[in-house]
Amino acid sequence: MNDLKDYIRRHSRELGIDMVGFAAVEDRGPEGDRLAQWLSEGCHGTMAWMEKNRERRSDPGLLLDGVRTIVSVGLNYQTPHAHPDTPGTGKVSRYAWGDDYHEVLGRRLDALLAGIRDRFPEVQGKVYVDTGPVMEKAWAQRAGLGWQGKHTNLISREHGSWLFLGEILLTAEIEPDVPETDHCGNCTLCIEACPTGAITGPYLLDARLCISYVTIEHRGPIPDDVTGRLDGWLYGCDVCQDVCPWNERAADCGEPAFEPRKGNVARDLKEVLAMSAEEFRSAFRKSPIRRAKLEGLKRTALSLLEAGRQTEQTNKEDNGT
């Protein structure tokens, strides 16, 4: 259906979507087997929902009956700001500086699917923006958007890894695009830079050691393997992406929704500890930071303050004061 493919490409640009590609559902690779191995090794930590939905992640037909094509899209979120090195603050991952991308990109994909249904009423579809069991990075690579780097994030030759991903599953059979190939080469900067050693080898990530997982998804005390190695991160972590050479090429997105909200690049840790539930809801309304919950945010803030005190005490002892 070339008319449908042309329409999707054209309308996605009109909606402000930066990248779009197409993959045939029948062209599945070995990702399902790799996921099963990763889960069996416990690398998902406490994210039990990943194991529960394993079969659905491996088979898009269980998500939409009669699915033939997966439309993968990418939305650039690079903005010209950097984390300050301010004592007493905790860094926030770039993806959470502005509005919740699930809503921003979700609205655009809903509008795209509505247009498809209006012009091609025989086609059924379903939208996902990190909200369901879709192996989005694997499908994005197969659709030609980029490749999964050694840090396991998707990298685009044009936009680097500062990309939000989303999908539309369609029952229409659309000519697939050429899959992207790997362009990491011999580079291992992301592996070497990871503060906790969470990237245990090329293309292998142990979530239990990942600062992003620990500060966002993990409930309860910070694991001993990560305590003291948070590297100043309050919510998420960008280290493996910050050092990626491909991100030197990334252009600014120009999207107002992804501009940093006040205090969202680096949060004052004592202010976080003093936050009430109402202040938390107000400060992070329509923000990804809600995912960590107030209890999790305070837990991490307390750990960072303790690490800062220990560092200060060590420095004093080293200086003989």
Side-chain angles (χ1 to χ4, degrees):
M1 299 183 68
N2 289 333
D3 289 348
L4 175 55
K5 187 173 186 178
D6 290 342
Y7 170 76
I8 292 173
R9 287 197 180 280
R10 183 177 68 255
H11 194 34
S12 64
R13 288 195 297 270
E14 294 169 353
L15 290 168
I17 295 172
D18 296 300
M19 304 185 75
V20 60
F22 302 80
V25 168
E26 63 183 19
D27 293 337
R28 274 174 279 176
E31 295 85 10
D33 293 336
R34 288 202 293 265
L35 173 63
Q37 178 67 27
W38 187 76
L39 290 169
S40 71
E41 295 173 357
C43 293
H44 58 303
T46 58
M47 296 184 289
W49 43 268
M50 295 194 71
E51 191 165 9
K52 184 171 63 175
N53 290 319
R54 179 167 59 88
E55 295 300 326
R56 299 177 74 204
R57 288 180 185 279
S58 303
D59 185 0
L62 298 177
L63 304 176
L64 177 65
D65 187 39
V67 62
R68 294 290 180 270
T69 299
I70 293 185
V71 182
S72 289
V73 305
L75 186 61
N76 176 21
Y77 66 94
Q78 159 72 9
T79 58
H81 308 283
H83 290 100
D85 187 17
T86 306
T89 64
K91 295 176 287 187
V92 174
S93 178
R94 181 180 295 273
Y95 92 90
W97 287 355
D99 294 346
D100 192 335
Y101 79 92
H102 300 88
E103 298 182 20
V104 175
L105 182 54
R107 286 193 295 269
R108 298 181 189 188
L109 288 184
D110 285 340
L112 180 56
L113 180 56
I116 292 170
R117 286 170 170 163
D118 181 55
R119 291 161 178 77
F120 305 88
E122 73 280 8
V123 177
Q124 299 299 311
K126 199 168 185 177
V127 166
Y128 287 98
V129 183
D130 194 32
T131 50
V134 178
M135 300 181 73
E136 58 180 11
K137 290 179 284 189
W139 286 110
Q141 179 163 354
R142 196 162 293 119
L145 269 61
W147 70 96
Q148 280 189 260
K150 292 177 182 176
H151 47 32
T152 76
N153 295 299
L154 192 87
I155 305 174
S156 157
R157 283 187 281 184
E158 181 179 359
H159 299 290
S161 62
W162 306 120
L163 279 174
F164 293 133
L165 302 177
E167 304 78 39
I168 301 181
L169 279 60
L170 294 177
T171 55
E173 187 170 346
I174 301 176
E175 181 182 2
D177 290 325
V178 177
E180 180 60 282
T181 55
D182 191 306
H183 297 281
C184 284
N186 295 323
C187 180
T188 56
L189 289 176
C190 58
I191 299 173
E192 296 161 7
C194 181
T196 60
I199 308 173
T200 57
Y203 317 104
L204 296 173
L205 177 73
D206 188 337
R208 294 167 296 186
L209 296 173
C210 178
I211 293 174
S212 285
Y213 159 75
V214 169
T215 58
I216 300 173
E217 300 293 342
H218 180 68
R219 305 294 178 242
I222 295 175
D224 292 340
D225 289 340
V226 180
T227 300
R229 294 197 285 169
L230 289 172
D231 196 40
W233 292 95
L234 173 67
Y235 181 94
C237 177
D238 292 337
V239 171
C240 63
Q241 299 187 81
D242 282 336
V243 301
C244 179
W246 287 96
N247 281 332
E248 297 175 3
R249 306 162 181 250
D252 296 338
C253 67
E255 171 56 63
F258 299 145
E259 283 293 315
R261 296 182 181 186
K262 182 180 179 181
N264 266 21
V265 175
R267 278 268 163 185
D268 185 282
L269 297 174
K270 291 183 178 179
E271 287 183 4
V272 170
L273 289 178
M275 266 188 181
S276 67
E278 180 56 38
E279 288 170 335
F280 176 82
R281 287 191 293 269
S282 176
F284 302 120
R285 182 176 178 270
K286 294 186 177 182
S287 163
I289 298 177
R290 294 173 303 171
R291 179 77 175 177
K293 302 186 182 303
L294 179 56
E295 181 182 358
L297 213 60
K298 287 189 174 185
R299 170 210 60 188
T300 307
L302 194 61
S303 181
L304 290 175
L305 284 171
E306 178 59 28
R309 283 193 289 268
Q310 291 179 0
T311 299
E312 184 178 354
Q313 180 62 34
T314 299
N315 291 337
K316 286 182 179 179
E317 293 173 357
D318 290 344
N319 293 329
T321 59

